[in-house]
């Protein structure tokens, strides 16, 4: 049945039966796609129950985002370093210099 303005038998709130397993599967597929989790060829993978987000997917996402954050921090520090080398008379407080050094050390530690 379709809802039309002339359909007087239809009453709100309406009860609609939905296949939540199918909807959840579609939603998880879209979430994985949005987060950048690549699909795995079924022939090359273990058969796993389709329940929620798997721990390896969360681990992959954390590693991927960490790598992106490290690369972005590195680009930012390189840009700042380049800017500071071009401006010879810029005044930098000790606190800013300390934060810069701490950031460089943290990036160095993350790459090991």
């Amino acid at each position: 049945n379709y809802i039309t303005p002339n359909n007087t038998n239809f009453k709100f709130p309406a009860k609609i039966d939905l296949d939540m397993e199918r909807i959840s599967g579609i939603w998880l597929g879209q979430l994985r796609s949005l987060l950048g989790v690549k699909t795995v060829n079924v022939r090359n993978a273990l058969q796993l129950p389709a329940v929620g987000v798997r721990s390896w997917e969360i681990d992959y996402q954390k590693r991927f985002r960490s790598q992106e954050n490290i690369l972005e921090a590195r680009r930012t520090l390189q840009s700042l370093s380049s800017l500071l080398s071009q401006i010879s008379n810029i005044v930098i407080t000790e606190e800013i210099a300390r934060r810069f050094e701490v950031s460089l050390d943290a990036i160095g530690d993350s790459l090991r």
Side-chain angles (χ1 to χ4, degrees):
N1 290 347
Y2 295 99
I3 301 171
T4 62
N6 298 331
N7 187 349
T8 57
N9 296 330
F10 192 81
K11 304 241 189 239
F12 286 101
K15 182 180 180 210
I16 301 172
D17 292 324
L18 299 173
D19 183 0
M20 290 309 292
E21 186 174 328
R22 184 170 182 200
I23 291 172
S24 298
I26 293 169
W27 184 83
L28 275 175
Q30 293 295 320
L31 179 64
R32 287 180 178 122
S33 177
L34 179 68
L35 294 175
V37 177
K38 300 194 177 9
T39 57
V40 177
N41 187 345
V42 177
R43 288 185 241 169
N44 298 334
L46 295 173
Q47 293 297 323
L48 298 172
V51 288
V53 180
R54 297 176 185 95
S55 60
W56 69 267
E57 292 172 319
I58 294 170
D59 183 59
Y60 168 83
Q61 196 59 38
K62 286 179 181 177
R63 289 174 189 264
F64 183 77
R65 294 296 177 210
S66 295
Q67 182 182 15
E68 281 186 334
N69 290 339
I70 290 168
L71 291 174
E72 185 61 32
R74 183 177 174 200
R75 280 192 292 269
T76 300
L77 290 173
Q78 285 174 335
S79 176
L80 182 58
S81 176
S82 175
L83 178 67
L84 293 177
S85 67
Q86 292 174 5
I87 304 173
S88 59
N89 61 350
I90 192 167
V91 177
I92 302 170
T93 64
E94 288 184 24
E95 176 63 19
I96 298 299
R98 186 188 67 74
R99 287 183 181 186
F100 190 78
E101 289 175 4
V102 168
S103 298
L104 286 174
D105 290 341
I107 286 181
D109 291 343
S110 69
L111 296 175
R112 289 183 207 144

